[in-house]
Amino acid sequence: MRKRTLGLSVAVATMIAAGAGVVTALPASALSGCTVGYTISSSWPGGFGANVTVKNLGDAVSSWTLTWSYGAGQQVTQAWNATVTQSGSQVTARNAGYNGSVATNGTASFGFNGSWTGSNPVPAAFSLNGVACTGSTTGTTPPTTGPTTGPTIGPTTGPTTSPPTGGSGVPSDAAWVASGQWDTWTNNGYTLNNDVWGGGAGPQTIWARTGSNWGVVANHPRTSGVKSYPHSGKTLNRQLSSLSSVSSSFNVSVPADGDYETAYDIWANSNAYEVMIWANQHGAVGPIAESYDSNGAVPTARNVSVGGSTWNVYRGSNGANAVYSFVRTSTTTAATVDVLAVLNWLRTNGWWADVTIGDIQFGFELSGTAGQSNFTSNNFTLTYG
């Protein structure tokens, strides 16, 4: 979705209300004004998609909470890049762990899907951290007609939109193809997310036969900063001590050139913690760390054998949450990982306590590609108990 702003490292972990941190709203004095853009991006009988962009006109904030009320019975059903909850007509959106800091005149964006009956008017007012957004409020109402069906969330087949020009690499038997920035699809318990988030990103198309067999066709410039994190994954919401097993296997095909890594992205304690497990990497990428030298990030622990492989482990922070990165000492495109053993290693070594494991995602964190490139998850499984 995903998170970090450090150029050579990480990607955003987008989610179904995924990867979002629960924060405490700042005092009203921390803001002097804001504007909100609320755009209904699609509409179909009984449902709609919306994008929200809030601009901070006051002092910089390190976390945000946006609230509004619906007047026609609308209900939020799914969200990304924020945690969105609803009580009656009142809706509350809280920043994710990676997008809480908003500078003066800066913006934060998120999206969601919702349901409606009868009518779907734009909310009349918004408040940011308890301060009414009176600078101006802009909105777009849904079209009077829309597609005959809504987006696919849960079934085994999805929309089959065409990839962008030059989007070769999408198999003809794909059940789902999408090119939208935050497009998602759920299949057989796995949720896929196209997750294009970095500034200066190029075109990216995600496709899937299933939640386990999927791929990405991308063409991102090789400039600083992570551009995207297309991924598949599951939401556990389980306390670490309650888990008897968490195991995953993968088999991927990646290009010979580019700036990327194949990685798990795991969130805990409402995104207070982020764990990345790097299977392979290429080019100008590196983990977040406490210290750096002329060779890049310096590991906190070296040659740690856990979970079926050997890793260099890095400990750091992206400014919003702690980040722990396990970078395989020998890269691979296929392996089985005892994820629970990795998570318990962090607890045994005092890096965290008995945390609640939220989302476990697996995908490709892309900082740049060597022209149009194909990344494929030939198979990915995640089981837990």
Side-chain angles (χ1 to χ4, degrees):
M1 317 217 179
R2 213 180 340 347
K3 47 186 194 269
R4 309 141 289 229
T5 57
L6 196 62
L8 296 183
S9 13
V10 254
V12 61
T14 328
M15 349 154 231
I16 293 183
V22 178
V23 297
T24 303
L26 296 181
S29 59
L31 286 165
S32 60
C34 47
T35 64
V36 173
Y38 178 104
T39 302
I40 295 180
S41 55
S42 59
S43 183
W44 58 93
F48 69 100
N51 294 318
V52 181
T53 298
V54 57
K55 182 175 183 179
N56 175 21
L57 301 179
D59 298 334
V61 298
S62 59
S63 61
W64 52 265
T65 300
L66 186 71
T67 58
W68 69 90
S69 293
Y70 280 127
Q74 301 101 313
Q75 293 287 320
V76 175
T77 58
Q78 179 192 42
W80 49 94
N81 292 333
T83 295
V84 181
T85 57
Q86 184 167 353
S87 177
S89 62
Q90 182 73 20
V91 181
T92 301
R94 294 184 173 90
N95 64 272
Y98 51 84
N99 63 358
S101 297
V102 184
T104 301
N105 293 320
T107 61
S109 299
F110 62 95
F112 63 90
N113 290 328
S115 63
W116 64 281
T117 56
S119 63
N120 187 17
V122 170
F126 296 83
S127 292
L128 180 65
N129 288 359
V131 177
C133 292
T134 56
S136 70
T137 300
T138 59
T140 344
T141 56
T144 54
T145 60
T148 56
T149 59
T152 309
I153 305 173
T156 57
T157 59
T160 54
T161 57
S162 298
T165 302
S168 61
V170 176
S172 59
D173 61 345
W176 177 64
V177 183
S179 302
Q181 184 177 16
W182 310 120
D183 286 342
T184 62
W185 184 56
T186 299
N187 170 268
N188 197 30
Y190 296 90
T191 296
L192 292 103
N193 196 310
N194 199 34
D195 197 359
V196 182
W197 66 280
Q204 177 173 294
T205 295
I206 191 170
W207 60 266
R209 294 186 180 95
T210 67
S212 299
N213 178 207
W214 58 279
V216 169
V217 182
N219 192 346
H220 297 304
R222 298 180 77 168
T223 53
S224 63
V226 177
K227 308 303 187 300
S228 68
Y229 180 60
H231 62 265
S232 179
K234 295 182 178 182
T235 300
L236 277 63
N237 286 336
R238 291 275 299 275
Q239 193 168 4
L240 181 57
S241 61
S242 75
L243 291 163
S244 59
S245 66
V246 183
S247 180
S248 181
S249 64
F250 63 87
N251 182 302
V252 300
S253 298
V254 295
D257 197 7
D259 302 320
Y260 64 83
E261 74 267 3
T262 303
Y264 292 84
D265 201 8
I266 303 169
W267 299 88
N269 277 15
S270 299
N271 294 357
Y273 298 99
E274 177 182 15
V275 180
M276 296 202 75
I277 301 175
W278 289 29
N280 60 64
Q281 66 272 354
H282 189 281
V285 295
I288 290 176
E290 292 177 310
S291 61
Y292 300 82
D293 60 19
S294 59
N295 296 317
V298 176
T300 306
R302 296 179 184 271
N303 298 316
V304 173
S305 294
V306 65
S309 297
T310 302
W311 322 84
N312 288 330
V313 187
Y314 301 78
R315 182 173 185 168
S317 172
N318 61 23
N321 49 263
V323 181
Y324 305 141
S325 299
F326 290 73
V327 179
R328 209 170 189 272
T329 56
S330 60
T331 63
T332 185
T333 57
T336 297
V337 182
D338 184 346
V339 178
L340 183 59
V342 173
L343 303 180
N344 279 329
W345 184 92
L346 292 170
R347 185 181 181 188
T348 300
N349 285 273
W351 290 25
W352 66 13
D354 190 11
V355 297
T356 298
I357 305 300
D359 294 313
I360 298 182
Q361 304 161 346
F362 175 81
F364 309 102
E365 189 170 73
L366 309 180
S367 295
T369 61
Q372 183 171 288
S373 300
N374 299 324
F375 299 79
T376 305
S377 169
N378 302 306
N379 186 55
F380 162 63
T381 63
L382 175 64
T383 59
Y384 61 94

